Amino acid sequence: MTLIAVGINYNTAPVAIRERLAFPAEILDNTLKNLSDVRDISEAAILSTCNRTEFYCRTDSDDQTPLIEWIADTKIITPTDFTPYLYSYKDSQSIRHMFRVACGLDSMILGEPQILGQMKTAYHAASQAGTLGKTLSKLFQHTFSAAKKVRTDTAIGSSPVSVAFAAVQLAQQIFDKLSEQTALLIGAGETIELTARHLFQHGIGRIIIANRTYDKAHALAAQFNGYAISLSELPTHLAEADIVVSSTASQLPILGKGRVESAIKKRKHKPMFMVDLAVPRDIEAEVEQLRDVYLYTVDDLQNTVNQNMDSRRRAAEQAEEIIDTQVEHFLAWLRSQGAQETIRDFRIQAEMTRDEVLQKALTQLNNGVPSEEVLQRLAHTLTNKLIHTPCAQLRDAGANERHDLIAASREIFKLR
């Protein structure tokens, strides 16, 4: 039995290759069933995200050719087009790799938590498809436990490492309850989408999306139960905003000191938290001079992000030590499975002997033999039958000078 992990990720393959090897959720069930039918593969799971596609398999051979051929046939791609980008791990290294992936140690953003949820999705998909057996099921469960321990015992996920997340955490420090605040987000790109997602997840009361193209603003706002406006409507809605985050590609400032000053007066000087994530700036630097306005730039937040990345790197070192221990725990479980078949056979043999002796005892009781005599015979016969074979083997071991076997027997039977 061999455990393998084979895949590509953002480090090894360009987007064009990752796209071709991706497996959408809607086809995963049939895909997994087909994969489990591949020669030598007895258990299988697939992790497919925008940054990686990985195959976790229990196989009866070290040969990965059947898997490679299956990927090529399924994705209609020649092996030479994707094999240069593949990495593969076996047994203890595949276990370590799964643990590291689940903990975010192999992610583009060190320690990011989303990958653990994606790993759980992969597990549930394989479980529903019926392609998990005892070994991979146990490995996934141990993977989740290892990730939880890393999250609990290290600070790897405690500090924001994106400017969007840093902005939201800063807002939480300024406002007691985000649920009572309105956020105005200017732009509709990736950074604003990420900011909106973080705010939404942290329970922001209301989101307004402003963008030059109204349709883009509306599409983004709809994802977060928000309200869309065009840039021309900014003066009307600016005073509603407790939090303003701007990230556009404009070459000129979108918000000037005068416009913000007017909004503050309408708000009766209720504080406004503003974050300018654009380069060049969307918000005039002079806005910082206004009372009741807390203005932060991308540079302010980037310093925080850099410090937090250093913190995560130190936590990652601790996480690697935890993973080393967890890998050994799982390997110990795997090794113990090698004895299960022997234990099962030994138990079956003992139960057959018991049933045989018990049946004779019951027959004797039915024939009127005194119960005390029957019990004595049962105990004597059962003892002799259970120890006969081990004693015979030990005598042969002594005759053949198999001292190792004799020593092992003393340990197994705990003989002093």
Side-chain angles (χ1 to χ4, degrees):
M1 185 273 288
T2 302
L3 285 171
I4 61 170
V6 177
I8 58 171
N9 65 20
Y10 66 96
N11 262 330
T12 68
V15 173
I17 297 296
R18 299 204 304 274
E19 287 175 341
R20 296 187 68 181
L21 264 62
F23 289 88
E26 58 269 20
I27 67 167
L28 207 49
D29 189 78
N30 286 334
T31 300
L32 283 163
K33 290 173 181 175
N34 292 335
L35 176 56
S36 66
D37 290 334
V38 172
R39 175 169 53 87
D40 294 332
I41 294 179
S42 54
E43 300 181 44
I46 299 174
L47 173 66
S48 186
T49 74
C50 59
N51 282 332
R52 70 179 67 240
T53 295
E54 296 188 340
F55 306 89
Y56 308 126
C57 302
R58 181 181 184 267
T59 70
D60 300 323
S61 168
D62 289 349
D63 185 12
Q64 295 176 11
T65 303
L67 174 60
I68 302 300
E69 292 176 347
W70 176 84
I71 295 172
D73 291 342
T74 302
K75 286 300 181 180
I76 314 174
I77 182 174
T78 59
T80 53
D81 284 344
F82 68 89
T83 51
Y85 305 102
L86 285 180
Y87 46 82
S88 64
Y89 301 97
K90 187 176 74 171
D91 294 333
S92 63
Q93 291 304 311
S94 65
I95 297 165
R96 182 185 306 279
H97 178 70
M98 283 184 67
F99 289 1
R100 294 187 79 255
V101 169
C103 294
L105 297 180
D106 195 54
S107 295
M108 184 180 293
I109 299 175
L110 182 65
E112 59 93 3
Q114 287 83 6
I115 187 62
L116 179 57
Q118 292 164 336
M119 185 77 86
K120 289 181 178 179
T121 298
Y123 165 73
H124 290 305
S127 182
Q128 288 182 343
T131 60
L132 292 182
K134 183 178 182 180
T135 303
L136 272 189
S137 290
K138 184 71 173 181
L139 178 53
F140 269 106
Q141 294 302 325
H142 208 116
T143 298
F144 303 146
S145 296
K148 182 179 179 181
K149 188 167 182 62
V150 165
R151 293 279 165 190
T152 302
D153 294 359
T154 75
I156 195 162
S158 62
S159 305
V161 289
S162 72
V163 288
F165 194 14
V168 173
Q169 284 215 331
L170 194 53
Q172 284 183 298
Q173 295 173 22
I174 292 174
F175 298 102
D176 291 335
K177 294 182 180 179
L178 286 184
S179 60
E180 298 176 356
Q181 313 305 320
T182 293
L184 170 61
L185 309 183
I186 306 173
E190 184 178 341
T191 299
I192 290 298
E193 180 178 353
L194 190 56
T195 304
R197 179 165 283 107
H198 287 315
L199 284 168
F200 186 73
Q201 290 171 347
H202 285 80
I204 189 70
R206 183 171 173 237
I207 292 179
I208 302 172
I209 306 287
N211 192 54
R212 197 175 305 279
T213 305
Y214 175 80
D215 287 344
K216 286 185 178 180
H218 178 73
L220 183 56
Q223 297 180 41
F224 308 106
N225 299 326
Y227 177 69
I229 62 173
S230 64
L231 286 184
S232 60
E233 297 176 89
L234 267 179
T236 305
H237 293 275
L238 186 58
E240 302 172 33
D242 304 294
I243 299 166
V244 178
V245 181
S246 187
S247 179
T248 75
S250 174
Q251 296 301 302
L252 296 172
I254 291 174
L255 290 176
K257 182 181 177 182
R259 182 169 291 176
V260 176
E261 191 170 22
S262 297
I264 287 292
K265 288 179 180 178
K266 286 183 182 179
R267 291 171 58 82
K268 298 180 180 179
H269 295 277
K270 182 182 176 183
M272 181 183 285
F273 169 62
M274 308 186 78
V275 182
D276 188 350
L277 299 179
V279 179
R281 292 185 178 192
D282 281 340
I283 303 172
E284 284 184 350
E286 289 76 13
V287 169
E288 191 174 13
Q289 300 168 7
L290 296 174
R291 290 181 60 188
D292 305 312
V293 173
Y294 301 89
L295 175 62
Y296 293 83
T297 68
V298 68
D299 288 343
D300 297 326
L301 296 183
Q302 192 60 54
N303 290 334
T304 300
V305 167
N306 291 340
Q307 291 172 7
N308 290 340
M309 277 302 301
D310 290 339
S311 173
R312 286 202 178 192
R313 290 188 189 99
R314 290 192 295 272
E317 294 175 3
Q318 296 175 288
E320 295 286 5
E321 294 176 3
I322 292 172
I323 286 173
D324 286 343
T325 302
Q326 294 300 312
V327 168
E328 284 305 313
H329 287 172
F330 187 77
L331 288 174
W333 177 83
L334 270 184
R335 289 191 291 267
S336 73
Q337 300 311 294
Q340 292 301 312
E341 186 176 350
T342 300
I343 292 171
R344 186 184 68 247
D345 291 345
F346 182 58
R347 178 177 290 278
I348 290 172
Q349 185 184 70
E351 289 173 348
M352 289 175 62
T353 301
R354 176 204 62 197
D355 293 344
E356 178 188 343
V357 174
L358 179 60
Q359 189 58 49
K360 287 183 179 180
L362 291 172
T363 300
Q364 290 171 348
L365 285 172
N366 290 333
N367 291 336
V369 178
S371 58
E372 184 178 344
E373 183 180 340
V374 172
L375 286 174
Q376 288 179 344
R377 287 182 184 178
L378 183 148
H380 179 75
T381 303
L382 185 58
T383 300
N384 282 341
K385 282 183 173 291
L386 289 176
I387 69 172
H388 172 74
T389 300
C391 287
Q393 293 295 102
L394 283 169
R395 278 193 291 272
D396 288 344
N400 295 312
E401 297 185 349
R402 289 289 309 278
H403 303 298
D404 58 327
L405 190 55
I406 295 172
S409 299
R410 296 194 71 87
E411 184 175 350
I412 288 172
F413 295 115
K414 292 190 178 297
L415 301 175
R416 296 180 180 179

